Amino acid sequence: MTYTRDHTLMGVQAILYMMAATSAFCALIPMGVVKANFGGHCMLYGDVDVDADAGSEGESYLRVEQWGVSSSCSFICWTNSLVLIFSVCFSSYLIAMSCTGREAFGIEALCCSPFPLQIVFHLVLTFMTFLSACLASAGLRHLCSSIQQSSHNSYRCGQLKGVYWEDINIHDADGEFYDFLHASKTSCWFVSVLTICILFVYMARWYWEKLQHSVTEQQPIMDATSLL
């Protein structure tokens, strides 16, 4: 019964890891696209000014007053890259363990090391993913707030159709940067929630293992008592 329960939980973890890997990938790609479109600059926590009716035909232009904080984008990318790599490795190993036994491939991976080590590792990973999600949300909110304030509420993120960038080296049309950054932010929150779920599954597996050990230790005592 315990064997079946533990392998069921490992299967659940494998699914959660695959979902986390997919979400991390979905967070990385839009962030990379935005950085490429803006010449390698980070737009989170950036300040953008709207110059209304500045064009020859009355068009409005967006002007970057200050680029975003590059360390925030770097932290988000590195964190999600770490989640992507570990999730792919862990999910593959857990699937192999569920199908073949405790020590798949003849090695003992980190996902199968003592549970306290697993829990500490995933606590750190959970904190990092939560922090990256907060940075993505706060950074995008700051960027959109600067656009809204500079345009006196005439323009908002997601409503920039027909607004162009003053810098011709910026390759962004109709405010697509917001769609990409919003997708990245949402994916970061998915990653954070999934790592929390993975952590709870590890704690559940640790609990069942401790419970099984206590039952096994008490069994010889009960057998000896019945012989008296």
Side-chain angles (χ1 to χ4, degrees):
M1 179 68 178
T2 304
Y3 178 87
T4 304
R5 181 189 296 117
D6 190 50
H7 280 66
T8 300
L9 290 175
M10 284 193 292
V12 171
Q13 277 185 305
I15 294 172
L16 291 173
Y17 274 126
M18 289 188 287
M19 293 173 64
T22 304
S23 298
F25 182 78
C26 292
L28 283 169
I29 296 303
M31 187 71 68
V33 170
V34 172
K35 291 189 70 174
N37 289 342
F38 286 83
H41 293 286
C42 178
M43 289 303 293
L44 296 177
Y45 296 100
D47 291 317
V48 175
D49 181 52
V50 179
D51 194 356
D53 303 327
S56 58
E57 298 181 4
E59 306 98 334
S60 296
Y61 284 94
L62 296 173
R63 181 190 305 112
V64 177
E65 293 293 330
Q66 183 177 355
W67 295 110
V69 181
S70 59
S71 59
S72 60
C73 288
S74 298
F75 181 81
I76 292 170
C77 290
W78 279 109
T79 299
N80 284 282
S81 298
L82 184 67
V83 171
L84 177 60
I85 294 171
F86 275 100
S87 294
V88 170
C89 295
F90 283 12
S91 61
S92 301
Y93 197 92
L94 286 168
I95 291 172
M97 275 207 312
S98 300
C99 298
T100 62
R102 177 70 179 177
E103 294 185 6
F105 314 123
I107 59 175
E108 195 72 11
L110 175 62
C111 57
C112 309
S113 59
F115 282 111
L117 179 61
Q118 299 167 351
I119 292 173
V120 170
F121 173 78
H122 283 83
L123 275 173
V124 175
L125 192 63
T126 299
F127 174 76
M128 292 176 63
T129 56
F130 178 75
L131 182 58
S132 68
C134 290
L135 287 173
S137 297
L140 182 58
R141 190 182 306 115
H142 178 91
L143 175 62
C144 292
S145 177
S146 69
I147 294 175
Q148 186 174 342
Q149 290 178 5
S150 64
S151 66
H152 304 289
N153 296 323
S154 297
Y155 293 99
R156 299 172 182 269
C157 283
Q159 301 176 359
L160 296 173
K161 188 174 180 62
V163 182
Y164 304 94
W165 290 90
E166 188 177 63
D167 187 350
I168 59 174
N169 294 319
I170 295 177
H171 305 289
D172 180 79
D174 299 328
E176 289 181 344
F177 70 92
Y178 173 74
D179 297 327
F180 287 119
L181 291 177
H182 186 269
S184 183
K185 177 198 74 172
T186 304
S187 297
C188 284
W189 281 112
F190 272 112
V191 172
S192 181
V193 171
L194 289 168
T195 52
I196 293 174
C197 293
I198 293 170
L199 174 63
F200 279 123
V201 175
Y202 269 121
M203 294 174 69
R205 288 179 61 195
W206 189 29
Y207 169 78
W208 289 116
E209 185 179 83
K210 289 291 185 182
L211 183 63
Q212 179 62 22
H213 283 172
S214 64
V215 171
T216 304
E217 290 172 359
Q218 292 176 3
Q219 191 66 35
I221 299 176
M222 295 175 61
D223 293 342
T225 305
S226 62
L227 294 173
L228 296 178

